[in-house]
Amino acid sequence: MGSALQAYAFDDLRLGMRETLMRTIMETHISDFAAITGDRNPLLLDEAFAAQSLFGQRIAHGMFTAGMISALIGTRLPGPGSVYLSQTLQFLAPVRIGDVVTAAVEVVELVPARQRVRLFCECVADGRGVLEGEAWVAMPENASGLPPV
């Protein structure tokens, strides 16, 4: 992701608008996320423990993958100033170190009276679905996310 942020006003949004973010999951992402959140589940951090698990190897935190959805909402669609109100998630498959994950959000409902947006959210890792759900987002008064001057 570049340094530029995309910001939409509610009236700029259309059904079917979609944005994506791609990231290769690295060991450092998992260890950094564990350090930040305190989630030190050995399934995520310990090779020997994870080898004996259902997955046979270490996997990434599900919420790290979900965090990619948050990044899209806050930086691309709808963008800066939008307020993340709720999220449903279903984890479909594990994400492993080295997987290339593509997160996507798509506008599926607009509620003009309240300036709310419902987004379909999904993450795909190397061609297989790993997460899906939906988010509700409140829109700011204008595209900059700041109050009008």
Side-chain angles (χ1 to χ4, degrees), residues 20-148:
T20 62
L21 172 65
M22 185 182 291
R23 174 154 294 137
T24 301
I25 305 305
M26 309 297 287
E27 156 64 34
T28 55
H29 295 135
I30 296 170
S31 58
D32 289 351
F33 194 84
I36 291 166
T37 63
D39 181 354
R40 299 183 184 283
N41 183 338
L43 176 61
L44 312 169
L45 301 172
D46 183 309
E47 288 289 347
F49 183 92
Q52 303 302 313
S53 75
L54 168 70
F55 305 115
Q57 67 186 76
R58 291 173 53 203
I59 61 172
H61 298 78
M63 293 309 291
F64 177 82
T65 308
M68 292 175 65
I69 300 294
S70 178
L72 278 167
I73 290 170
T75 64
R76 296 189 184 178
L77 184 66
S82 60
V83 178
Y84 206 158
L85 298 174
S86 69
Q87 177 75 59
T88 61
L89 296 171
Q90 182 177 7
F91 298 101
L92 305 172
V95 172
R96 297 174 174 89
I97 297 169
D99 281 353
V100 177
V101 176
T102 301
V105 296
E106 180 178 336
V107 176
V108 294
E109 185 176 353
L110 297 165
V111 183
R114 301 195 64 216
Q115 289 198 308
R116 300 289 194 263
V117 181
R118 183 168 58 95
L119 301 167
F120 172 73
C121 308
E122 67 179 339
C123 291
V124 175
D126 296 326
R128 69 188 196 292
V130 296
L131 176 154
E132 68 178 35
E134 72 174 30
W136 278 99
V137 178
M139 296 294 296
E141 298 253 341
N142 60 47
S144 73
L146 302 173

